[in-house]
Every structure is written in C-alpha cells, then in structure tokens.
C-alpha cells in the first residue's frame, strides 16, 4: 500500500516523477528572482496563469525605495501575465493559500520553505527555490523524488496549557534538525483527529525544521469542516498499511509547554526550566502561529491586563485581522498594551519591523531561531502562543496557566 | 563534471540565514549577496571563497528556500560545495543555479587541495580519494548546462 505522498505523486518512494502542479506561488522576496529567471529563460507567456499566485508578505508595506520599486515591477508583471496577486496587507502566503485555495490531493509548490504548512489540508505541498519556480510557471510541471515517510503517530489529547506548537517543538526536538531530510512526515493515529485545522497548520509548518520535504495530514472531518467554510468539499482518506521508514510515537498527554533556545530549533527545554529568563520583546504571529485561534488564545490570557515588555502581534492574514476586529479580540490585545502590525512576515526574518538590537532577547511564536535571524546580535526563543502571552505579562519567560 | 580548489571548512547545520542574512535580501544585485556571504558566520570567509571548494558539515543549507544563498556562493567564486548531507531545497537550488554540490564525507583542513568528479562520483582531498553519492541524470544535465536557465534555453 502507499503513503499519502505516494498516492498523490502516483509512484513509490525513491522514484523520480514528473508531475503537473495544481498550485504554484511565490512571494515578494522570491517572486522578484522568479521574474528575473523567466526573463533570462526568454519565457514570454505562461501556460496556466490561473494556477499561479503572487503574495506580497515578506516586506510589507515596502520599507525603502528599493523594495517599493521591486514590488512595483512584480505588481506590473502580475497584471500583464494574468497571475492573481495578493498585495501587501493580504497576509502570509501559506495562510492565504490555506483559506480556500488548497484542497486534498493537490500538488502544491511554493517558493518558500514553509510551503509544507499546506500539507495540513491533505495536499502534497513543498518548498522550492525561485529558479525552480520559474521553470514551473513556464511549463506547469516539475520533477519530484517521491519521499520516504516517517509516521508521527499521535495518541491521546493535548491538555493543560500545552498546544499544537508545543507538540511541534516536541517532534522537532525528537527528530532533530536533519532527522527527516528528504522525507515526508505523516501525522497519523487517534490523536491526529482531535487536532484543529489551525493546530495542523502549525504542526505541518515546522516539518521543514527537521529537513522534511513536507508534513501531511489525511483529510478527515476537520478538513471537510475547514474547506466547507470556503464552499469546498473533501472526501476522507485513511492510512492503509503504509510502508513507513520509521514511526515516531508521541503521547499528547505528555506534552507540556516547551521553548526552543537560541540558536537551534531542535534544542528544546520545558518552559518551566527557563522561567524568569529576561526578555526585551515578545512577538506573536508568523505562518506558524498568527491564525485567529492563536490571536484569540493570546487575547484570552492578556484580556484586562497589561503587558510588561514590548509586544508585537501580527495577524497572519486580512481575514484573520478582520475576524479579530469583529470579535473584539484585537481590542483586547491593543488595550493590553501590544503593538499590532499589518499582516505579513517581516519580523520573523529580520527584514522589516520588529528587528532586534544587539544583545536583545525575543520570545517568538515563529518557527526559526537561527543566529541573527531577527537582527544582528539578537537572541530568539521560540514558544507557543500561551507561553508568549504569559511571558508578555510577566516581562520574562513564564509558564502559562491552563486557560 | 570536474572541479578543484583549496578547501574552506565550515561546520554542521549551516543555515541559509548564516549564508546570507535576511537584511541583504532587499535587492536583486547579486554582488551584494557575494560581498556579505557568510558574514554572520565569519566575516573573513567572503574574501577567501574565489576558486575555493566549501567543505561543510552535516545538513548544509538548512532553513529558508532563499536561492540568494547559493547565488551568493556562486557569485563569490565558489567552485563547489561538499558536505555529508544537504538540506533538500538548498541542494536543489544549487543545481538550478549551476553550483556543483557533492554529497560526500571527507576530512577537512583549510587550504587542503580538494578535487571532485560528479560523473565518476568521487572527491579527492590532497590526493586521497573518497566516494561521492551520485546525482540523478537530470541533475547532472542541469549542472552541466550551467543551471536551470541555460538548460531550459538549450531544450527549447
């Protein structure tokens, strides 16, 4: 029988296949290089512009004249080539794609490493570089090596203050930063059914931090309910005696609030062991944890209180922002003393806004804490939203209470 | 496809932020990336890369999909990158921009003479030969053409 990756790609693990892609997207950063490569390739028209998308998220709104000019060129290219554009403020590419543009069984490529996020929807989704993307836009297809699969077998339910992000940190620590290189992670087991779509997106998002090509969930009722909000449907699929490379068993009841310490994603400690660690900034957002469920959880903890350290909250998309406004979640966040920035990626990669100064320490809900990523000489700790909220109130790393 | 040069040794898990930091990505001027390559790892490295073979540890190029990382190395004059293992997007990007990447476990001393042959599948360090993992035929064809852009042009 076949793993979900093998079923979607239509060949056994280890085989090289050429496949048409259903959706291919780039952002303002990689899109510029994709456009350059197309120019150098001499490609004038694209065969399937309806399958392509440009999403401005990395440096939005533009911060310098250079950035603005690059974005203007790309905006014009979207217009003449017929590629749909999600302009500045629309949201982070993976979040935008998760809002009704990706369905189970699709082959999805994005010019961003966290494209694996979309495996949460039962698609085979993986990141590529900009030149790769140019060839995909020009031909509608690309080659893949069908990955071997590691089953991440989930049992039980998350409880207490632990959330999907803690589970993500747990499996990254367990596998290590290259524990799944060239492979796929399939999230299976009874525990998978109990994880919300938001949590699944968080779990699949961090697959690449183990070197994996993708993280993937089988479509089920949770998937169908999510797609239903966008007028789409999904048929459930279940594993069938798959041939896995190995199985990683995780009991969700054992998961506690965790923190990845600088400068490695796989160096993880219990939040409790780091309680009291000095912080200069808390950052809540990114393609890992900027969804409505995250903002709502954060607001529930800080509501009626004041943060004790500068705290930046960035919704992952315009619909997330709009919903947070409509439900009062955003007002709670602002009244607690947080800054709110327009939907985008900026602070996560130190490209735009929320950059750290020399020696400053940030607790972030992002997926990477690489050296100097958020600014030269800064230090990044990674945590769940609940841990970030408790820490923002305390001004130091703090363990969240059950909410 | 062959190449050779003095070794420049770097460690395990060198992420793409360390190859080229996010703050240098707001341009399409490749010389900027070459100038700042490895800056956060060791600012003296950029000046030693012309004609060199970078010998990395495990999981070379983990992290972002940013192709600027491999372009920076190529623009800085790197002849090839040897590592026991690569992050997959970095590996694929390197082939696509025409930067030879060789999966092999070799000892490294800065300045050692490193030579490689992609077709025959070996790497030599000061004359001592080590096996290298072969690339797919398509990858070799893309590398031989000088990257995916010239490969594309030659196929049309």
């Amino acid at each position: 029988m076949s793993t979900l990756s093998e079923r979607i790609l239509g060949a056994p693990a280890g085989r090289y296949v050429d496949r048409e892609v259903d959706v291919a997207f780039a952002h303002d950063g990689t899109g510029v290089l994709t456009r350059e490569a197309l120019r150098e390739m001499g490609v004038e028209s694209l065969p399937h512009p309806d399958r392509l998308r440009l999403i401005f998220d990395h440096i939005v709104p533009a911060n310098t004249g250079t950035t603005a000019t690059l974005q203007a060129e790309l905006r014009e290219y979207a217009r003449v080539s017929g590629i749909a554009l999600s302009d500045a403020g629309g949201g982070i590419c993976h979040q935008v794609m998760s809002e009704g543009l990706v369905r189970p069984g699709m082959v999805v490529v994005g010019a961003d490493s966290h494209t694996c996020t979309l495996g949460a929807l039962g698609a085979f989704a993986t990141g590529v570089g900009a030149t790769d993307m140019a060839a995909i836009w020009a031909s509608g297809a690309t080659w893949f090596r069908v990955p071997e699969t590691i089953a991440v077998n989930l049992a039980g339910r998350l409880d207490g203050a632990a959330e999907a992000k803690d589970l993500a940190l747990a499996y990254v620590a367990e596998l290590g930063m290259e524990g799944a290189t060239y492979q796929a992670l399939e999230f299976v087991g009874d525990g998978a059914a109990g994880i919300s779509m938001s949590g699944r997106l968080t779990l699949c998002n961090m697959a690449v931090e183990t070197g994996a090509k993708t993280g993937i969930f089988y479509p089920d009722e949770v998937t169908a309910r999510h797609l239903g909000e966008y007028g789409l449907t999904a048929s459930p699929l279940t594993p069938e005696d798959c041939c896995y490379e190995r199985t990683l068993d995780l009991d969700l009841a054992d998961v506690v609030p965790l923190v990845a310490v600088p400068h490695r994603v796989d160096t993880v400690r219990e939040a409790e062991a780091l309680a009291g660690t000095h912080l200069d900034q808390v950052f809540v957002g990114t393609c890992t944890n900027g969804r409505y469920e995250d903002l709502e959880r954060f607001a529930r903890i800080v509501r009626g209180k004041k943060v004790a350290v500068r705290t930046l909250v960035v919704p992952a998309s315009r619909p997330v922002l709009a919903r947070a406004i409509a439900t009062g979640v955003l007002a709670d966040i602002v009244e607690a003393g947080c800054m709110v920035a327009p939907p985008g990626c900026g602070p996560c990669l130190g490209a735009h806004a929320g950059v750290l100064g020399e020696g400053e320490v940030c607790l972030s809900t992002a997926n990477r804490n690489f050296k100097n990523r958020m600014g030269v000489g800064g230090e990044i700790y990674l945590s769940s939203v609940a841990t970030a909220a408790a820490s923002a109130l305390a001004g130091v790393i703090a363990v969240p209470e059950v909410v | 496809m062959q190449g050779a040069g003095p070794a420049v040794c770097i460690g395990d898990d060198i992420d793409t932020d360390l190859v080229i930091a996010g703050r240098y990505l707001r341009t399409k001027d490749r010389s900027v990336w070459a100038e700042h390559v490895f800056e956060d790892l060791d600012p003296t490295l950029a000046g030693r890369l012309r004609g060199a073979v970078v010998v990395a540890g495990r999981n070379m190029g983990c992290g972002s999909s940013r192709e600027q990382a491999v372009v920076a190395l190529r623009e800085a004059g790197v002849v090839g990158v040897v590592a026991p293992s690569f992050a997959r997007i970095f590996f694929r990007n390197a082939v696509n921009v025409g930067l030879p990447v060789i999966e092999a476990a070799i000892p490294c001393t800065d300045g050692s003479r490193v030579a490689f042959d992609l077709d025959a599948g070996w790497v030599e360090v000061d004359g001592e030969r080590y096996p290298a993992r072969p690339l797919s035929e398509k990858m070799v064809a893309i590398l031989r053409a000088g990257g995916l852009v010239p490969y594309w042009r030659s196929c049309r």
Side-chain angles (χ1 to χ4, degrees), chain A residues 36 40 66 73 112 126 129-132 142-143 177-178 182 264 351 368 370-373 376, chain B residues 13 15 17 23 26 28 30 40 58-59 63-65 67-68 85-86 88 92-93 96 139 152-153:
Chain A
E36 284 294 293
E40 289 170 17
T66 307
E73 283 177 27
D112 187 279
T126 194
T131 301
D132 243 342
T142 192
W143 62 272
M177 271 168 63
E178 67 158 352
Y182 300 110
R264 290 182 66 99
R368 286 189 178 139
F370 298 150
K371 188 182 171 196
N372 290 357
R373 181 167 169 90
V376 179
Chain B
D13 299 309
D15 59 71
D17 280 71
R23 61 187 179 278
R26 306 161 196 155
K28 53 185 179 183
R30 292 166 183 171
D40 290 347
R58 304 195 64 82
N59 200 25
S64 166
S65 74
E67 196 168 283
Q68 293 94 331
S85 62
F86 289 86
R88 55 162 288 278
R92 192 165 166 147
N93 281 345
N96 286 338
M139 283 180 142
W152 175 276
R153 295 181 72 105

Side-chain angles (χ1 to χ4, degrees), chain A residues 67-249:
Chain A
T67 312
T69 304
L70 292 173
Q71 290 183 5
E73 283 177 27
L74 211 47
R75 199 174 278 120
E76 173 62 10
Y77 181 65
R79 197 186 62 77
V80 300
S81 62
I83 297 176
L85 171 70
S86 169
D87 211 325
I92 303 173
C93 54
H94 313 301
Q95 178 63 21
V96 169
M97 298 307 296
S98 77
E99 293 169 350
L101 296 171
V102 168
R103 297 189 306 278
M106 279 184 159
V107 175
V108 179
V109 288
D112 187 279
S113 61
H114 290 108
T115 304
C116 53
T117 309
L118 295 159
L121 293 153
F124 184 85
T126 194
V128 298
T131 301
D132 243 342
M133 188 53 76
I136 292 165
W137 284 10
S139 68
T142 192
W143 62 272
F144 296 97
R145 181 183 178 283
V146 182
E148 287 80 17
T149 294
I150 297 174
V152 182
N153 188 38
L154 306 176
R157 291 189 78 85
L158 289 167
D159 62 10
E163 54 188 76
K165 176 59 168 289
D166 298 301
L167 176 56
L169 291 171
Y171 86 70
V172 171
E174 197 71 37
L175 289 170
M177 271 168 63
E178 67 158 352
T181 298
Y182 300 110
Q183 305 188 12
L185 303 181
E186 253 182 41
F187 295 94
V188 296
D190 297 343
I195 296 176
S196 67
M197 182 51 68
S198 178
R200 292 176 186 199
L201 290 160
T202 301
L203 281 168
C204 290
N205 176 269
M206 291 195 71
V208 71
E209 309 313 329
T210 67
K213 191 171 200 161
T214 194
I216 195 163
F217 271 80
Y218 283 82
D220 61 5
E221 280 175 32
V222 173
T223 324
R225 212 176 312 130
H226 173 84
L227 292 172
E229 290 174 27
Y230 303 97
L232 302 170
T233 55
S235 307
L237 279 178
T238 50
E240 295 172 4
D241 301 324
C242 300
C243 191
Y244 293 122
E245 191 82 352
R246 60 180 279 212
T247 297
L248 176 66
D249 288 304

